[in-house]
Every structure is written in C-alpha cells, then in structure tokens.
Amino acid sequence: MQADRAEPLIAIVDDDANVRDTLSALMRESGFDAVCCPDIPAFLALGDPPQVDLALIDLRLRGESGLTLAIHIRERYEIPIVMLTGVGDEIDKIIGLETGADDYMIKPFNPRELVARIRAVLRRYGHGTTRPSAAPDQEIAFGTMRLDVQSRRLLDRQGEEIPLTNAEYRLLEYFAQNPNRIIPRPELLEKLGSDMQRYVDRTIDVLILRLRRKIEAVPSKPVHLQTRRAQGYIFQLSPV
C-alpha cells in the first residue's frame, strides 16, 4: 500500500486491449487509479515489489496462465488478487488457498459488482476501510450481527467487520435472504456456480463450517445455520 497516494492503484493484467481500456476507465470512474499490463512480464516490470494495491488478473492470458501470476504474487507479496474468469473455468481452484486469489468474477460481469468486490477485498487488507452506514433496508439482522448487502460486509455488535471470502459472503447472503426455508445442496451449489457433480459435498460442507465459525457462538451447536439431515440447510434469523 502506498501511503503517499490517495487512490488505490489497481494493476489490470489482461491481453485484450479493449478489456484493459474498459477496466481502466471503470477503475478511474470509481475512484481508483490504474496501470495496464498486457502480460505477466509487463506486471513483473512494475518493480519488486510492485507498487500497486491490488492485481486484477485475467485467468486466460494469451500463452500464459493468470494462475501462474497469482501464485507468484502470493508467494512473494501481500498484494490482494481478484481473478477474471470465463464460464466453465475451474472456479474452485481460484477460490482455493493454493492459488492465493482473494476473489473472482465470471465474464461477462456487472461493472458495479466488480467495483464492490474490489472495495471489499481492499478493506480486508486495510485499505479504504471507512464506509458510510447502510440504510436499514440494506441490512439483514440476525442475532447480534448485521449483513450489509450494499457494501457486502458482515458486521458484529460493535459494527466491526467480520472478514468473509467472496464465496462465504455469497452463501451467507443467500441464506439471509431466504430464511426459515430448507435449501437443498444443489440449489446452494447452483448459486455458487460450481460444478455440481464434482464439488457439491466438499464445497458446500467446507463453506458451511467456515460460516459457522464466524456467525455462531458455538459452531458445533448452531442456532442460525442449521442442518436438516438428507434435506439441506435452513437459516434462522432469530433462534427458535
């Protein structure tokens, strides 16, 4: 993070010049600064360490893999990473810790959502953490916590943010917007956009465990995010 620069600097790594121009304009319109890199060598030429606040990397670089760059960054620097992927790419590998990606977006994406995701990732790294409070109708309260759907944040009783990965946030938001209803695993997986046949058990189970550790007073005895054996999961806004 660069203390002498007010705007976060986003490195855009994409081999499509039109995409780079579009994303660069979007970043500047959203209060960021941007530097464009057509390939991995161009990013590496930014310095050691690169003087950027976040790397926005396309998975399918011409003749290269964006995952290679993501792993390189994570092994050496504390720079947050957001991946851009196409439909059909192996999203679970991008979410996983082995790649080091903090978040991902599937093309084509909503520009406002991409900006919101970037802001959320930067907040987790301590950059630009001050945000206006959400209006009451933009929050979902449960127990002692509040889910701010505008800024994509989970807040505790004191208003402090509880960090969530993108997948954790998306799952929690879906539960909170569909309370008191048993939701089967295939529906949850479809919401996450993963390959149902290969990843349903592992993906959902791991995310449920992670969420319970963050929202339940006693994760082994959940009062909000409960299992209904052979049926799915149910989310209670208020303990029964």
Side-chain angles (χ1 to χ4, degrees):
M1 307 295 178
Q2 305 306 305
D4 58 347
R5 187 178 62 245
E7 302 85 4
L9 178 61
I10 311 299
I12 300 168
V13 186
D14 197 300
D15 56 19
D16 187 317
N18 291 330
V19 172
R20 292 197 303 272
D21 291 344
T22 298
L23 288 173
S24 178
L26 175 64
M27 293 301 103
R28 290 186 167 87
E29 290 169 2
S30 304
F32 304 125
D33 201 354
V35 57
C36 292
C37 304
D39 50 30
I40 292 177
F43 179 87
L44 298 179
L46 295 177
D48 185 11
Q51 301 301 298
V52 300
D53 297 297
L54 182 143
L56 181 60
I57 305 171
D58 183 37
L59 175 64
R60 300 293 182 185
L61 296 174
R62 189 175 298 114
E64 302 173 302
S65 170
L67 292 182
T68 300
L69 179 57
I71 294 170
H72 173 88
I73 292 172
R74 186 55 68 240
E75 288 177 345
R76 293 164 176 80
Y77 315 118
E78 289 296 322
I79 298 174
I81 301 166
V82 175
M83 302 294 296
L84 299 178
T85 79
V87 175
D89 288 329
E90 297 182 57
I91 302 304
D92 66 304
K93 289 185 178 179
I94 299 165
I95 300 175
L97 295 176
E98 67 271 19
T99 68
D102 296 280
D103 202 350
Y104 71 94
M105 286 287 290
I106 299 175
K107 298 178 180 180
F109 50 79
N110 183 300
R112 292 180 60 185
E113 183 177 1
L114 174 61
V115 171
R117 300 272 191 93
I118 289 174
R119 292 191 192 282
V121 171
L122 286 171
R123 281 198 305 273
R124 293 201 292 270
Y125 280 74
H127 198 299
T129 56
T130 302
R131 298 282 291 172
S133 299
D137 60 352
Q138 295 171 330
E139 290 186 341
I140 302 174
F142 61 96
T144 62
M145 300 182 180
R146 294 173 289 122
L147 191 66
D148 184 336
V149 298
Q150 180 183 39
S151 63
R152 299 170 60 86
R153 293 185 297 168
L154 176 63
L155 307 174
D156 64 14
R157 187 196 300 270
Q158 289 74 38
E160 296 295 323
E161 182 176 2
I162 299 172
L164 297 175
T165 67
N166 172 61
E168 290 167 353
Y169 174 83
R170 292 174 66 195
L171 195 62
L172 180 58
E173 182 185 64
Y174 193 68
F175 275 126
Q177 292 176 339
N178 295 272
N180 308 317
R181 175 172 75 85
I182 296 176
I183 305 176
R185 289 186 180 194
E187 181 178 338
L188 294 174
L189 195 66
E190 181 179 358
K191 178 64 179 176
L192 291 176
S194 297
D195 182 323
M196 183 168 61
Q197 293 182 344
R198 292 179 58 190
Y199 306 118
V200 59
D201 291 336
R202 179 171 64 85
T203 302
I204 296 301
D205 288 349
V206 169
L207 290 176
I208 293 293
L209 287 173
R210 289 178 180 173
L211 277 179
R212 283 175 174 161
R213 291 173 186 152
K214 295 180 180 182
I215 69 174
E216 302 286 359
V218 182
S220 60
K221 298 180 180 179
V223 298
H224 295 294
L225 183 46
Q226 301 177 9
T227 301
R228 292 292 184 265
R229 190 173 298 276
Q231 299 180 73
Y233 299 94
I234 186 170
F235 191 81
Q236 309 278 2
L237 293 177
S238 300
V240 177

